[in-house]
Amino acid sequence: MCGIVGYIGNNAVAEELLSGLKSLEYRGYDSSGIALNDNRKIIVFKASGKLSNLNAVLHEKNVEDYSSFMGIGHIRWATHGAPSIENAHPHLSNDGNLVLVHNGIIENYKELRQKLQNQGVVFHSQTDTEAAVHLFAEEYKKCGSLEQAVRNGLPQLKGAFAFVIMHHAESDKIIAVRKNAPLIIGCGKNENYVASDIPALLGKVNHIIHLDDDEMAVVKKNEVIVKYINGQVVQKEMEKVDMAADVISKNGYAHFMLKEICEQPAILRRVIQSHVQNQTIYLDDAKINVDFDKVKKIVIVACGTSLHAALVAKKVWEEWLKLPVQVEAASEFIYQTNLLDENSLVIGVSQSGETADTITALKLAKKYQSQIMVLTNRVDSSIVRYASSIVPLNAGVEISVAATKSYMAQLVAFYWFGLLFAQKLNKISELDWQQKLQILIQLPEKIEEILSHQNDIESIAQRLTRYSAVVFMARGFNLPTAYEAALKLKEISYINANAYPAGELKHGPIALLDKNMPVLALFEQGQNAPKLLSNCEEAKARQAPVIGIGGEKCSDIFNEYIETPEVDACFSPLLLCVPVQLLAYFTAKALNREIDQPRNLAKSVTVE
Ligand code: M6R
């Protein structure tokens, strides 16, 4: 949700900024821009659309001819104002002296804009950000110091922001500020960087400083000083960059999404190896401070794909733990009466750890003294600051906007933790526990078997491109898989996909069915399979093409069938998610979509 970068040092500044932005493209791709401080003059370059457009502009304007030693850059996911050049960052003050890039939302921008306009300030964009640049510029006129101007302006801003700011007259420093939006400083030798996320710094620096909320950094070529917004210096630890430089390579795959889908067995094997020793589960890398005996209710908050993982957890945990598990879309959590107290365990699930809705929900839960746990793929992210227990997903960096391997890692974490929890609460026999563990251990091989049938799934996907809408249905453990399948297909192929409990179809959605509306049914072992088959018959009777996905094919009524290895129903969401990911991927590929960067989306959604 917008990526920002800054560089000060002796390298070619535009190149440094561009390569940083390239690694942050997953955060947005509506427009991009950079600003250089060239001999005490601010020069801004912008382009709408993908970063490649900015690259072309820089090339055309011979950016290499500028002799700058510092600059800032931005890649935008539009919130306020269309994805146009005028709304693209960096935003420049009217005197052309002060320039900034912003990630987040300035909630009181309308009031500020009005106030500044009343003072005669002219605005040029529809963004919330522009209010900040003019505010800081007005403050600068009063005090003549960038650091002081920023310090004076910040208390007047409400909302979430990370800023990187430069002034033409202070060509030795960049100011970086953080409040509820991620920002890190990359510390090099005779050069320093600022970025929204670590991938922008890979291969450039070995050490970073994480800024916390309400901190600002004065970043110079040879020093970084971090201060609270009141000016008091903060002693910050430098952390070693713990991420391989090649994590952001496609490794020969056509898209990151396919690479990430195919990584799933390896991730599972790695997680299993690190968690299971002598038939016992260890969550050594997790920081778990849960008072298990105190937990009377579990609430899980999440968004999008993470929400679907939570819905699987509800079904599995309620069966295993015999405890009520409530799952809420994080964005709705703050609008309802939540019956929370210190006996509640509230779990936030977030791949990125930066999702504003999920963080806000956890902040609210904290007020009720509930125990807070997070499951995240980014233990260096903002969300961990709100939790006393942290379970890392260890899926590796996920670049494709469509979440796949992180979903698998979330599911596995829920199953591990469910087993651990059930054991602590004495809710599971030793035998049952061992059997469940064995099922988990055998999963990577079964997923590999599904992956080996990619060609068959690709052919079905090609036929799916004929339709403009599809329906997914399931019963039992795989209803959340159906929701996830629909989300995946929608977000990358733009085919309208809806998912329903199979029994609900006859209560309304069946009216949609005809020969142009395929129905995809997700089968699991057990008593619900015959009923699901009847629902397929009902769909077929309305001429809908029926595609089955699951264990051994149980009827001839299917137009197409994707067979998956047999597994106990309770664990089947861990398998069935894979064919639906592949189906979405190959459908989008056949339609020639921008698979890794679907329109209107961003990887981390840092606004509510
Ligand atoms: O980083 P998070 O897990 O908190 O992200 C939540 C959703 O924004 C995310 O899952 C989104 O739905 C993905 N595009 C799904 O593929």
Side-chain angles (χ1 to χ4, degrees), residues 257 301-308 349-358 375-377 383 393 398 400-404 406 410 484 487-488 491-492 598 601-605:
M257 184 177 176
V301 289
C303 302
T305 290
S306 300
L307 179 64
H308 300 149
V349 195
S350 175
Q351 185 286 128
S352 64
E354 299 295 348
T355 300
D357 290 318
T358 311
L375 267 64
T376 181
N377 201 28
I383 204 166
L393 299 176
E398 190 176 62
S400 169
V401 165
T404 53
S406 64
Q410 287 166 348
E484 176 58 9
L487 172 62
K488 219 79 307 168
E491 73 179 330
I492 59 166
L601 292 174
K603 184 76 182 157
S604 57
V605 185

Side-chain angles (χ1 to χ4, degrees), residues 342-383:
E342 67 280 4
N343 296 323
S344 318
L345 171 64
V346 180
I347 303 178
V349 195
S350 175
Q351 185 286 128
S352 64
E354 299 295 348
T355 300
D357 290 318
T358 311
I359 291 176
T360 304
L362 291 189
K363 282 187 189 164
L364 179 69
K366 248 189 140 167
K367 291 196 181 145
Y368 292 93
Q369 325 287 324
S370 303
Q371 301 188 61
I372 313 269
M373 175 190 273
V374 298
L375 267 64
T376 181
N377 201 28
R378 298 298 302 269
V379 284
D380 54 347
S381 63
S382 304
I383 204 166

Side-chain angles (χ1 to χ4, degrees), residues 361-524:
L362 291 189
K363 282 187 189 164
L364 179 69
K366 248 189 140 167
K367 291 196 181 145
Y368 292 93
Q369 325 287 324
S370 303
Q371 301 188 61
I372 313 269
M373 175 190 273
V374 298
L375 267 64
T376 181
N377 201 28
R378 298 298 302 269
V379 284
D380 54 347
S381 63
S382 304
I383 204 166
V384 298
R385 289 161 221 273
Y386 304 97
S388 50
S389 299
I390 299 152
V391 179
L393 299 176
N394 290 326
V397 176
E398 190 176 62
I399 302 286
S400 169
V401 165
T404 53
K405 64 175 180 174
S406 64
Y407 180 68
M408 175 67 77
Q410 287 166 348
L411 290 182
V412 172
F414 275 126
Y415 281 80
W416 284 137
F417 198 74
L419 281 181
L420 200 76
F421 209 175
Q423 199 181 37
K424 297 250 185 232
L425 295 176
N426 282 326
K427 295 281 172 67
I428 191 165
S429 71
E430 180 59 25
L431 180 66
D432 193 12
W433 196 88
Q434 288 296 346
Q435 281 170 347
K436 288 184 163 49
L437 191 61
Q438 280 313 311
I439 296 177
L440 280 173
I441 290 171
Q442 287 157 11
L443 278 173
E445 220 171 285
K446 292 182 193 278
I447 296 173
E448 269 160 0
E449 198 182 322
I450 298 173
L451 292 174
S452 72
H453 295 295
Q454 278 180 51
N455 289 347
D456 303 336
I457 298 177
E458 183 165 12
S459 318
I460 297 176
Q462 277 161 354
R463 291 190 279 279
L464 214 54
T465 57
R466 290 188 216 131
Y467 304 99
S468 57
V470 307
V471 165
F472 284 91
M473 66 176 179
R475 286 172 177 263
F477 288 104
N478 282 292
L479 179 57
T481 317
Y483 293 142
E484 176 58 9
L487 172 62
K488 219 79 307 168
L489 189 66
K490 260 190 286 229
E491 73 179 330
I492 59 166
S493 76
Y494 318 145
I495 290 179
N496 186 8
N498 289 301
Y500 303 98
E504 276 297 301
L505 238 67
K506 59 186 173 295
H507 297 289
I510 200 165
L512 294 169
L513 301 190
D514 63 15
K515 65 179 177 14
N516 296 317
M517 179 76 77
V519 174
L520 291 95
L522 302 174
F523 280 85
E524 62 194 37

